[in-house]
Amino acid sequence: MTIPVWETLSVLPGTVAVVAEGERVVRILFCRTPLEVSQEIAKRVPGAVMGSNRLTHESLVQLKEYFQGSRRRFQVPLDESILSLFARKVHASLENVPYGTCVSYGRLAALAGHPRAARATGRVMSSNPFPLVIPCHRVICADGRVGDYTAADGVRTKAWLLDFEQKNLQKP
């Protein structure tokens, strides 16, 4: 059995941490401060130790590239074993939502093959263990409101991420 390790990256809207165990990322945390990251890791991945390995390093390189505006898709091996089959379908469908665009909870549910499961899709998004890599910030309300966001500074960060992606789409 391997011990989970975690490493952080400071970015404009907060602190991102990647927790890896073996050959998979088991959690990504996006919090306001490094202290919040430490507290969340203690709750969600007890026994994880601060450190670095090939996987945490490569994942943070990709996240840094995202925040620099040069990466639009991630290639990070995720441990989805804790997710239900429904959550995996929602995540897989969300990965196909293009950078800089949004989709409603209802539309995402339909894309996942469950057109009447908008609320369940919202619950999957609110408990997403891989924010940014699984871009739950791209899911908005049917009426166009940004909706909730459980990472970093909540709705403000979600709006910032949507605006950030829109601005980067316009760059050559």
Side-chain angles (χ1 to χ4, degrees):
M1 185 169 158
T2 59
I3 295 174
V5 297
W6 60 279
E7 186 175 2
T8 63
L9 171 70
S10 291
V11 294
L12 187 57
T15 302
V16 178
V18 174
V19 184
E21 184 173 1
E23 294 299 314
R24 299 267 181 240
V25 169
V26 296
R27 184 158 298 269
I28 295 173
L29 295 140
F30 188 19
C31 301
R32 286 182 291 225
T33 67
L35 177 60
E36 283 182 19
V37 166
S38 297
Q39 292 168 340
E40 286 297 309
I41 288 174
K43 276 195 301 193
R44 298 177 187 279
V45 193
V49 296
M50 185 180 244
S52 178
N53 65 21
R54 178 196 56 77
L55 187 52
T56 59
H57 176 77
E58 176 55 33
S59 299
L60 288 176
V61 165
Q62 290 185 35
L63 285 158
K64 185 176 183 179
E65 292 169 349
Y66 170 82
F67 281 103
Q68 291 170 339
S70 62
R71 178 171 290 275
R72 295 182 178 189
R73 290 187 66 89
F74 295 92
Q75 297 173 335
V76 175
L78 303 174
D79 181 358
E80 294 185 317
S81 64
I82 62 167
L83 300 177
S84 68
L85 178 59
F86 174 72
R88 288 182 204 163
K89 287 180 182 179
V90 171
H91 282 205
S93 297
L94 182 54
E95 286 183 283
N96 293 317
V97 173
Y99 180 96
T101 65
C102 296
V103 64
S104 71
Y105 293 98
R107 179 70 184 133
L108 182 58
L111 291 171
H114 299 274
R116 299 178 58 103
R119 284 187 179 199
T121 297
R123 284 191 296 277
V124 168
M125 294 296 91
S126 70
S127 62
N128 177 10
F130 313 109
L132 302 168
V133 171
I134 302 295
C136 54
H137 61 276
R138 294 183 192 150
V139 186
I140 61 172
C141 299
D143 64 6
R145 286 180 298 116
V146 172
D148 291 331
Y149 192 58
T150 56
D153 199 20
V155 175
R156 273 192 292 216
T157 299
K158 184 174 182 175
W160 185 91
L161 289 167
L162 294 172
D163 185 57
F164 172 78
E165 288 187 2
Q166 277 295 306
K167 287 178 181 172
N168 279 308
L169 276 178
Q170 298 167 11
K171 288 182 180 176

